[in-house]
Amino acid sequence: MNLKQKIGQMLIVGFKGKTASAEIKKLIREYHIGGVILFSRNIGTPNEILQLTTDLQLEAKNAGYERPLFICIDQENGAVRRLGDGTTIVPGAMLLGATHKPELAYEAGKITGSELKALGINWNLAPIVDVNNNPLNPVIGVRSFGENPHHVSQFALEMIKGMQEVGVITTLKHFPGHGDTEVDSHLDLPIITHDINRLHEVELVPFKTCIANGADTVMTAHVYFPAIEQEFNRPATLSKKVISGLLRDKLGFDGVVTTDCMEMDAIAKRIGTEKGGVEAVKAGVDLVMVSHLYDRQINTIEAIYNAVKDGELSEERIDESLTRINRLKDQYINWSQIEEKPKVSQDVGSKEHQYISEKIYEKGITIAENDHIFPIKLSEEDRLLVVYPRNDYATLVEDQRYATMTLGKEIQKLHTNTDVIQLETPIKDKDIKEVLSKANEYKYIIVGTLNAFSDQQQQKLVRELIKTNIPIVAIATRSPYDLNYFFGLKGAICTYEFSKPALRMAAHALFGKVNVKGKLPVTLSKASS
């Protein structure tokens, strides 16, 4: 490879469409990019996914690649998942954490990994090992296994083992920790001000545990840590003190380090994607992720190339990264895995996988409050109201395709005399008044909340309903921290995600059809009303 192609190997790029675009083909042929990231825009049926990943690999092979492409995806499960119909819906991190059974994280990892591998995806950008110790975190939250660093370590380690066992590369993210933030790095630069001792006691614990047990890759956080990096507002992704000093030298990680997407606003709107790519490589990063725009992808390669030509970066520094990249590829992927006429394995979306997944949901869905109300007893004549906000996806990393809520339908299947009100967001005062005007017609009211911890109108709705003295049950369909804001509920259930299996399990738990066994992996502390 020439220098520009060597640098190309350090790029992970995305593209639009369910078939290989002209742009991605050019990036493969001319620049020898190291890998591709898939998003929902690339995801069709399992057959379409496998055909796409095969076509990408064959394009690379025909371009003279010595090793196949990395093909990666954010299949964290739960709140952040990319695979769609025909695949198994696997519980997300906080629901797994609520089982308090790390062996179930292994099962979830194994199912996830085997289905990804069967679809030609060799690298999962999971698990998240951030310790979610900030109830107001807008971007991690239920994507974390919980608030205890040792709990997070156990679950992350088991999930990694499950994916590695079936031959899928894993990722620890977001180094050195994104759990104690109140800013989404997709939108701005978060700052974590803890001193280095606290970081070693909390944020770094899962990273250290997983690195000591054979972590494959580490993804950097676009977060500023002044305790490590003295230059004001220099995020970890661009910090030599964080990447080379802390991660490599002090924690002893010699595997592949990848950035988070360099088009996130914490980078793109500050230093810029292209210049950020140069600074990330100078800091010690091996793979630079530019997930969306073709021009930025080309320009990032050119910026790194010019930095080498100008003496700002050495070619030896590029070669160091290539050595690590090639070592990882040799461990996990080879051309013999690429079939020209691929066929999807029957494991994908299999009844066995669905059965295992359902059992995990049963062990993770949590009855968080119960004032002698469960199981709810109703006669056929008793009317039930289910009310919840229309659930737009909550953060930019989440997938709009899954912004659907089936809670009302699942409850109606079990009690036909049920009315469902889905409120447009943001919820207006007149909508709250309308719900209240109907409240006395019902024996019980079930309220689904979606990130009510950051939505005062949702909080107002639930509080006003509680004042009616009709028994109110809340189902926190994403963040369990919603329950901090309500006093006087007769019962509360946490699902940690609004996937269909989670909401179905919650509906069955309401009526005692299943005995859910989850216990909160985070602490709730009631806020003053």
Side-chain angles (χ1 to χ4, degrees):
M1 290 183 290
N2 59 38
L3 175 59
K4 199 165 283 187
Q5 289 173 334
K6 283 183 179 182
I7 293 166
Q9 282 285 292
M10 298 176 69
L11 265 283
I12 303 293
V13 303
F15 65 98
K16 292 180 181 178
K18 295 176 184 177
T19 58
S21 65
E23 288 87 354
I24 194 66
K25 288 181 179 179
K26 184 174 181 180
L27 284 161
I28 291 170
R29 284 196 303 263
E30 295 187 16
Y31 291 92
H32 278 225
I33 49 139
V36 171
I37 179 170
L38 301 181
F39 289 93
S40 58
R41 64 195 180 202
N42 310 116
I43 302 300
T45 65
N47 284 319
E48 288 172 328
I49 299 168
L50 181 55
Q51 191 60 59
L52 171 61
T53 58
T54 302
D55 290 346
L56 290 168
Q57 294 291 17
L58 293 177
E59 189 74 33
K61 191 174 186 179
N62 292 334
Y65 276 51
E66 187 176 339
R67 297 169 177 83
L69 292 161
F70 288 125
I71 299 183
C72 65
I73 195 167
D74 288 293
Q75 191 66 15
E76 297 171 17
N77 301 316
V80 177
R81 59 192 173 101
R82 306 293 184 224
L83 299 184
D85 293 342
T87 62
T88 305
I89 300 176
V90 179
M94 193 165 282
L95 193 146
L96 285 167
T99 69
H100 293 268
K101 294 180 181 294
E103 64 270 20
L104 296 179
Y106 167 82
E107 295 292 343
K110 194 171 179 181
I111 290 172
T112 302
S114 64
E115 297 201 8
L116 291 175
K117 187 78 179 291
L119 299 174
I121 299 165
N122 50 44
W123 179 14
N124 194 7
L125 302 174
I128 277 192
V129 298
D130 298 316
V131 180
N132 197 80
N133 41 29
N134 189 332
L136 299 179
N137 192 315
V139 68
I140 303 301
V142 295
R143 297 167 65 196
S144 166
F145 291 108
E147 68 184 8
N148 182 292
H150 301 289
H151 179 89
V152 171
S153 299
Q154 284 182 304
F155 278 81
L157 203 53
E158 290 301 315
M159 190 165 198
I160 287 168
K161 286 179 183 175
M163 287 190 281
Q164 287 178 336
E165 186 173 307
V166 293
V168 168
I169 302 165
T170 60
T171 312
L172 310 180
K173 64 186 190 185
H174 307 81
F175 186 83
H178 205 322
D180 197 2
T181 62
E182 294 182 21
V183 173
D184 184 345
S185 51
H186 292 84
L187 304 172
D188 204 348
L189 180 67
I191 300 172
I192 292 180
T193 57
H194 298 308
D195 63 33
I196 193 68
N197 291 332
R198 148 64 194 244
L199 293 175
H200 275 285
E201 289 170 1
V202 179
E203 279 77 11
L204 293 173
V205 169
F207 289 100
K208 290 191 281 191
T209 299
C210 294
I211 286 169
N213 286 276
D216 299 311
T217 73
V218 172
M219 178 183 284
T220 63
H222 300 331
V223 178
Y224 171 47
F225 291 81
I228 310 169
E229 173 57 68
Q230 283 70 51
E231 183 180 332
F232 182 65
N233 275 355
R234 191 170 189 86
T237 297
L238 313 182
S239 169
K240 190 168 186 178
K241 290 180 179 177
V242 172
I243 308 304
S244 296
L246 177 59
L247 179 58
R248 295 229 187 266
D249 296 343
K250 291 185 180 174
L251 302 190
F253 182 67
D254 191 36
V256 168
V257 176
T258 180
T259 70
D260 205 339
C261 179
M262 300 297 282
E263 290 167 285
M264 291 162 60
D265 286 354
I267 300 293
K269 287 195 174 178
R270 288 173 178 265
I271 192 173
T273 298
E274 297 86 352
K275 178 64 174 170
V278 174
E279 293 300 307
V281 175
K282 286 165 70 174
V285 158
D286 302 305
L287 291 170
V288 178
M289 195 170 290
V290 187
S291 304
H292 303 290
L293 299 179
Y294 176 70
D295 287 348
R296 283 182 177 173
Q297 292 160 356
I298 296 285
N299 291 340
T300 299
I301 294 172
E302 295 291 348
I304 298 170
Y305 176 79
N306 289 333
V308 176
K309 286 298 184 184
D310 294 343
E312 191 179 347
L313 270 169
S314 69
E315 191 163 350
E316 288 75 21
R317 169 69 199 85
I318 304 300
D319 290 338
E320 283 175 17
S321 285
L322 253 64
T323 298
R324 285 189 281 261
I325 290 166
N326 291 340
R327 187 172 63 209
L328 183 61
K329 286 188 174 183
D330 289 342
Q331 184 180 349
Y332 280 95
I333 53 180
N334 58 70
W335 292 118
S336 67
Q337 298 167 348
I338 316 300
E339 299 177 11
E340 295 207 16
K341 293 183 178 179
K343 187 176 180 181
V344 175
S345 164
Q346 291 183 340
D347 284 344
V348 177
S350 68
K351 287 184 179 179
E352 181 188 358
H353 284 180
Q354 290 180 37
Y355 176 80
I356 295 169
S357 184
E358 186 172 324
K359 288 300 176 186
I360 299 173
Y361 278 108
E362 190 176 328
K363 291 180 173 68
I365 301 293
T366 304
I367 294 177
E369 296 183 35
N370 183 12
D371 186 7
H372 308 290
I373 196 170
F374 299 127
I376 289 176
K377 302 289 187 185
L378 294 168
S379 69
E380 287 185 13
E381 292 76 28
D382 289 331
R383 295 182 69 193
L384 185 65
L385 175 64
V386 182
V387 57
Y388 49 82
R390 185 172 68 85
N391 62 326
D392 295 320
Y393 69 127
T395 68
L396 290 179
V397 74
E398 294 178 40
D399 196 328
Q400 284 180 284
R401 292 182 307 158
Y402 304 123
T404 59
M405 194 184 281
T406 58
L407 181 63
K409 289 180 181 177
E410 294 298 338
I411 292 174
Q412 283 175 325
K413 289 176 187 176
L414 299 172
H415 184 71
T416 54
N417 200 2
T418 297
D419 292 335
V420 177
I421 298 176
Q422 190 176 29
L423 299 173
E424 291 296 315
T425 51
I427 297 172
K428 298 179 176 61
D429 283 342
K430 68 178 181 63
D431 298 325
I432 294 174
K433 288 178 181 176
E434 187 176 342
V435 172
L436 291 171
S437 71
K438 298 176 180 177
N440 288 324
E441 301 172 20
Y442 301 96
K443 185 165 184 180
Y444 297 101
I445 298 176
I446 313 298
V447 187
T449 68
L450 178 64
N451 289 352
F453 73 90
S454 61
D455 184 342
Q456 291 192 352
Q457 285 298 92
Q458 280 192 64
Q459 294 173 27
K460 182 178 180 180
L461 169 66
V462 179
R463 287 171 177 167
E464 292 298 318
L465 284 170
I466 289 170
K467 290 177 185 176
T468 64
N469 292 321
I470 296 159
I472 306 297
V473 174
I475 298 182
T477 65
R478 193 173 184 278
S479 174
Y481 297 115
D482 290 358
L483 303 181
N484 281 336
Y485 297 85
F486 310 129
F487 297 84
L489 291 169
K490 295 298 287 183
I493 296 176
C494 296
T495 65
Y496 310 102
E497 58 189 65
F498 44 78
S499 63
K500 287 182 181 179
L503 297 179
R504 186 185 310 125
M505 193 65 67
H508 281 74
L510 281 173
F511 300 106
K513 304 287 186 185
V514 295
N515 180 24
V516 294
K517 299 180 176 68
K519 295 179 182 177
L520 287 165
V522 293
T523 303
L524 299 185
S525 53
K526 296 285 187 181
S528 62
S529 58

